[in-house]
């Protein structure tokens, strides 16, 4: 059974600092890995999807890397802003199913 | 834009009631999913469906059933609600043709008293 771990569970940084969020998974036979953002009491918004054949994916200030063989992904957010405060979840896909980590809650202090 | 709509944002029910949670998507996606989200546990898959009238158990199906009579609608049913089913419920849909990215609804926060 796929297990996904996100460390740390919470992170607080001053505005302007770069964020580094980590995700690890136990079964490397994945189709893809997805990073989501969730605001309090809301649903999930997809940020980036990395296919298993890719090493990284970028969108604006966000960059996600994938090392499938070691079962790790990292989400980098450059020059953080208060609006980046949210919970970030990673999820890996095997077959139809996504397996989620518990998330990292980020607070960016103005 | 893909829209996944969950019929209620908040629900309060009593123990033993039958509860229906409805989800509708407007992008003709063949795959639909129901998750529950609890603090510290992340999202856990309850059931999914890859076609009309088809369903597959996820990781935690006990105490739940689902119905998919039309492609755009996927219902989650709690036959006899219990307090341990108090949770946030999230519906999602995806399509093989668009890379299987899952699109989520806003969620339904269910409280069972």
């Amino acid at each position: 059974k796929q297990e996904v771990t996100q460390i740390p569970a919470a992170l607080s940084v001053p505005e302007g600092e770069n964020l580094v969020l980590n995700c690890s998974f136990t079964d490397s036979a994945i189709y893809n890995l997805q990073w989501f953002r969730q605001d309090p009491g809301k649903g999930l918004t997809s940020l980036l999807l990395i296919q298993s054949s890719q090493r990284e994916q970028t969108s604006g200030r966000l960059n996600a890397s994938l090392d499938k063989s070691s079962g790790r992904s990292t989400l980098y957010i450059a020059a953080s802003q208060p609006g980046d405060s949210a919970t970030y979840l990673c999820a890996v896909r095997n077959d139809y199913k996504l397996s989620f980590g518990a998330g990292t809650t980020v607070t960016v202090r103005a | 834009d893909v829209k996944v709509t969950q019929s209620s944002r908040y629900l309060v029910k009593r123990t033993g009631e039958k509860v229906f949670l409805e989800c509708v998507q407007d992008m003709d996606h063949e795959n639909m999913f129901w998750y529950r989200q609890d603090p510290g546990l992340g999202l856990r898959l309850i059931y999914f469906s890859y076609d009309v009238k088809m369903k597959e158990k996820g990781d935690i199906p006990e105490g739940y059933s689902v119905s998919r009579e039309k492609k755009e609608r996927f219902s989650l049913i709690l036959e006899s609600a219990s307090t341990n089913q108090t949770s946030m419920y999230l519906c999602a849909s995806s399509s093989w043709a668009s890379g299987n990215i899952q699109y989520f609804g806003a969620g339904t926060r269910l409280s069972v008293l």
Side-chain angles (χ1 to χ4, degrees):
Chain A
K1 182 189 169 192
Q2 180 72 270
E3 293 190 5
V4 182
T5 304
Q6 291 185 249
I7 294 173
L11 190 57
S12 177
V13 300
E15 183 176 4
E17 194 164 300
N18 296 333
L19 288 163
V20 180
L21 308 180
N22 297 302
C23 173
S24 62
F25 48 94
T26 55
D27 181 356
S28 62
I30 64 170
Y31 286 98
N32 58 45
L33 182 144
Q34 205 166 347
W35 282 94
F36 292 90
R37 170 185 170 134
Q38 186 177 30
D39 292 295
K42 301 285 179 64
L44 277 65
T45 301
S46 180
L47 297 174
L48 289 167
L49 180 142
I50 311 176
Q51 301 292 351
S52 62
S53 58
Q54 295 178 309
R55 297 300 299 264
E56 66 177 325
Q57 193 68 252
T58 298
S59 176
R61 293 185 296 113
L62 276 60
N63 174 276
S65 66
L66 174 63
D67 184 343
K68 199 175 79 158
S69 59
S70 68
R72 293 174 192 252
S73 177
T74 303
L75 177 67
Y76 301 90
I77 304 177
S80 61
Q81 303 167 358
D84 294 328
S85 298
T87 297
Y88 293 83
L89 297 139
C90 76
V92 295
R93 187 167 81 84
N94 304 90
D95 283 330
Y96 294 97
K97 294 172 55 174
L98 281 182
S99 299
F100 284 82
T104 296
T105 298
V106 171
T107 303
V108 181
R109 308 186 303 271
Chain B
D1 273 358
V2 176
K3 193 162 185 185
V4 180
T5 302
Q6 294 184 230
S7 54
S8 305
R9 291 299 310 277
Y10 302 95
L11 273 179
V12 180
K13 297 292 181 181
R14 296 204 175 276
T15 304
E17 278 192 75
K18 190 168 185 176
V19 182
F20 293 87
L21 302 182
E22 306 286 345
C23 176
V24 177
Q25 50 93 5
D26 67 355
M27 281 301 292
D28 201 37
H29 284 174
E30 63 272 21
N31 306 315
M32 296 188 75
F33 307 81
W34 275 108
Y35 296 88
R36 65 177 282 175
Q37 184 177 28
D38 300 287
L41 296 178
L43 274 78
R44 292 178 291 166
L45 181 64
I46 304 171
Y47 268 97
F48 66 99
S49 168
Y50 52 89
D51 202 351
V52 175
K53 296 192 186 294
M54 306 301 289
K55 61 184 179 184
E56 292 284 342
K57 292 180 180 178
D59 298 319
I60 51 164
E62 297 79 18
Y64 303 94
S65 62
V66 290
S67 171
R68 192 161 180 208
E69 296 296 318
K70 294 185 178 181
K71 192 174 185 180
E72 68 270 20
R73 185 180 297 269
F74 192 34
S75 302
L76 180 69
I77 303 156
L78 287 66
E79 295 287 342
S80 178
S82 63
T83 55
N84 63 13
Q85 293 178 309
T86 292
S87 187
M88 169 75 106
Y89 290 87
L90 291 160
C91 173
S93 72
S94 73
S95 171
W96 292 106
S98 56
N100 257 309
I101 296 173
Q102 290 195 14
Y103 295 89
F104 283 79
T108 296
R109 186 164 294 282
L110 173 67
S111 296
V112 182
L113 306 177

